[in-house]
Amino acid sequence: MPRIVVSGVPTTASRHIAVLDGMRALAIIGVIGYHTRPSLLPGGFLGVTLFFVVSGFLLTRSMVNLFERLRFSYPHFLRGRVRRLWPSVLATIAGTAILVYCMAPSLLPKVRGDALPSALFYSNWSFIFRKLSYFQSAGLPSPLTHLWFTSLIMQFYVLWPLLFVLIFQLCRSRVARAAVIGALAVASSLEMLLLYTPGQDTSRIYYGLDTRAAELLVGAALAVLMHRHVGRQDDEFAHDPPHWQFFSRTVHVRGRELRVTGQQLVNALGFALLVVFCVCFAIVDPQSAWLYRGGYLLFALLAATMIWAGMHSGVFMRAMGAKVCSYIGSRSFSLYLVHYPLLIVLNPATRATPLPWWGYLGQFALILAVGEVFFQLIEAMRGTPWLPWLTRAGDNAEPARETAGERLGRRLTASGNAGVRMLGTAGTRFATLTACLRPGAVVGIVAGALAVLVLMLPLNWQAIAHARAVQLRPELALTAEQARKQLAKPAPAPSPQPEQPKGTDAAQSKGADTAQPQVSALKVPNNLDPSRWQCDAAAQQCSVRMLMIGDSVTAGVAQTLQQHFPQAHIDGAVSRQFATGEDLLAQFLGSGEDPQVIVFALGTNGAAMREQAEHVVQLAAGRPLYFVTALAPVDWTAASNATFQEVAAAHPNVGIIDWSALATAHPEYLYDDGTHPNELGTQAYEQQLYNALCPRD
């Protein structure tokens, strides 16, 4: 993440630490992999923990050296942090707003809601107060969600120096200072443990500075423990070598004598920790309870140990400082800022099938290219080399000279007009603050500020976003009548149905042997009797007494369904869980309601377990029951749909209405969130339900 550089102060803190490049590279690969597709690297979010530890380590290491030299200035320190973060964050907001308007306008209202909190570094608390989950932001997540990290880091930059100066003054030994910092880290982890409740949203814990401070403080404690007093001319870690470096033993393996040294053991430890993180990136579940019961602290300690191992000369240090690691690590902050908006746009929720492997590689290459451009134009300071292993231009110490902005501000300040003098003074201060920035960063600041101001204007942003979305997807402008006419057009060829579960064919053939008129569904309940209600195919009217329980998809189509099924009881609600639907079904049936057909349309907001689906069948008490397959850009819908088909195969009175297959074959039926049907999809949904209850002519 952003490097800690104290311009003009020749401290040991400015020395490059190669292992941190490798850790940054590992972290950003994990984060990008997770955001590309959570199932690709389910534990990739742990890259954020690596970033936290590295940030806490570098920040505290820099402060300790400045404190010892009595050169620490809190205002100067904050100016440096703002100069590092603000241009990049503001440029990200401006670029994201433009990208979203051009390619994914449905996300524009969310960019508007998060632009100001992100620009002022409080978006993590904004997400907490609005109860926006990091791990369940499917469909249309805000493209600025990832800026919660920069907000939390800036909050740490503001508060930690004030607290650390007290620790530094009250505790004279580095062990005592590290012990106090460690106690604070434990307190933060304990707070996380106490606030965690299984089954409830973890946004408060995941986004909060107080609960995530442990990872930053572990890095801070390491910096204090590894600090050497100033005044030495030799390398910081070359003098006073620790006792373990003198360790040497001869071991016998299969008749051979092998010499094992302390340096070899430390290198082996570093590589072992590297393997541990790679494996955890691939297997750790972000919803695991143990993460909030000390898991994050454990990974922070492992990351700190990896830093310690890599700060001593050896093969591990050289491997982590290899050129590819050095390059990716030096660009990690830029890659972090640009990758999330790009992935949101490149992977729309309406995409029916996952990309092939080469598609993901292409996206990563694009992110790398955009990140490089962003780094060179926005993040890098003046004098930064094109590649991290090249010699810096003048070691980043260009001769002090008056910039054009400062020159203009000085001339305006000399004016006799008071207003012009104020403008000149403000311009001079801005020019001084941005003197070490590249021109692109100044443009990014101005563009970001303008973007935030424009997004704050009291305009009808929903209408603006919809108008742009209609330009990209004309079907979004269809009325109900136009949608019905379009659906009435003959299709070129029916799409193949998904493979039916074992037992479905037998159930269908059994129904075919009866004299009952045939309806259309993936699986029809064997006791469904359309002769018990009236059907008007021309008007799509059906008098069936249907009880339908669903979530926000059902709520969105309820008005249309009620028009075509006037005797139906339709109950849909946003974010409804499967278990809630079970309770509602029991309540409705227990109150004396006697539907002729039950339609259960849940599974979008959480996986449906086999026992839950069996319970719904039990509550139906032999009545015809349809499960509607779920569709959403989340991993659990496939498991829910498989559960529905397994249960339907085991119970003759249970059928399947395959909305998932229909909408997957026709992404134009859905809004950009890949879950909720638009007007065209609403009419298609109604027709599919009608066809499952009324026989074809």
Side-chain angles (χ1 to χ4, degrees), residues 250-274:
T250 301
V251 296
H252 298 274
V253 180
R254 295 183 179 180
R256 292 185 175 184
E257 290 188 354
L258 297 178
R259 196 72 174 170
V260 179
T261 65
Q263 186 180 49
Q264 291 173 338
L265 292 177
V266 170
N267 287 328
L269 174 63
F271 282 113
L273 291 173
L274 181 62

Side-chain angles (χ1 to χ4, degrees), residues 431-448:
T432 302
L433 182 64
T434 60
C436 61
L437 302 179
R438 291 186 174 178
V442 179
V443 174
I445 293 174
V446 176

Side-chain angles (χ1 to χ4, degrees), residues 37-234:
R37 193 178 181 191
S39 60
L40 193 66
L41 278 181
F45 67 96
L46 292 173
V48 174
T49 297
L50 292 175
F51 282 137
F52 279 149
V53 175
V54 170
S55 297
F57 174 79
L58 287 175
L59 179 72
T60 306
R61 189 166 180 262
S62 174
M63 288 194 303
V64 170
N65 284 279
L66 291 174
F67 284 165
E68 286 194 343
R69 290 177 171 83
L70 301 178
R71 292 186 178 184
F72 181 80
S73 167
Y74 185 66
H76 176 75
F77 173 84
L78 285 186
R79 282 197 301 271
R81 305 289 73 74
V82 170
R83 189 161 46 223
R84 273 288 172 182
L85 288 181
W86 217 11
S88 298
V89 170
L90 288 176
T92 301
I93 295 171
T96 300
I98 296 171
L99 177 69
V100 162
Y101 178 79
C102 294
M103 302 186 66
S106 298
L107 295 169
L108 190 59
K110 295 199 173 185
V111 173
R112 178 179 185 262
D114 295 334
L116 185 63
S118 299
L120 298 182
F121 301 109
Y122 68 91
S123 63
N124 57 327
W125 293 104
S126 175
F127 295 148
I128 289 172
F129 296 143
R130 291 151 57 193
K131 298 182 179 179
L132 298 179
S133 174
Y134 179 76
F135 296 108
Q136 297 179 1
S137 56
L140 288 177
S142 170
L144 299 179
T145 299
H146 65 312
L147 294 186
W148 74 271
F149 174 86
T150 57
S151 295
L152 189 147
I153 284 292
M154 178 55 77
Q155 293 160 22
F156 184 74
Y157 287 169
V158 171
L159 298 176
W160 179 234
L162 301 176
L163 181 59
F164 184 71
V165 69
L166 295 177
I167 298 173
F168 190 84
Q169 293 296 329
L170 295 176
C171 303
R172 293 302 178 183
S173 71
R174 59 178 178 172
V175 174
R177 292 166 183 167
V180 173
I181 297 172
L184 293 175
V186 171
S188 173
S189 295
L190 286 175
E191 183 187 9
M192 176 181 283
L193 186 151
L194 294 174
L195 290 177
Y196 176 73
T197 302
Q200 293 189 7
D201 182 61
T202 57
S203 300
R204 168 63 185 87
I205 307 172
Y206 190 81
Y207 288 129
L209 171 63
D210 51 342
T211 49
R212 299 304 298 270
E215 296 148 82
L216 290 153
L217 293 172
V218 166
L222 177 68
V224 170
L225 284 174
M226 298 198 71
H227 176 69
R228 298 293 188 269
H229 291 293
V230 298
R232 302 295 296 264
Q233 298 299 320
D234 49 340

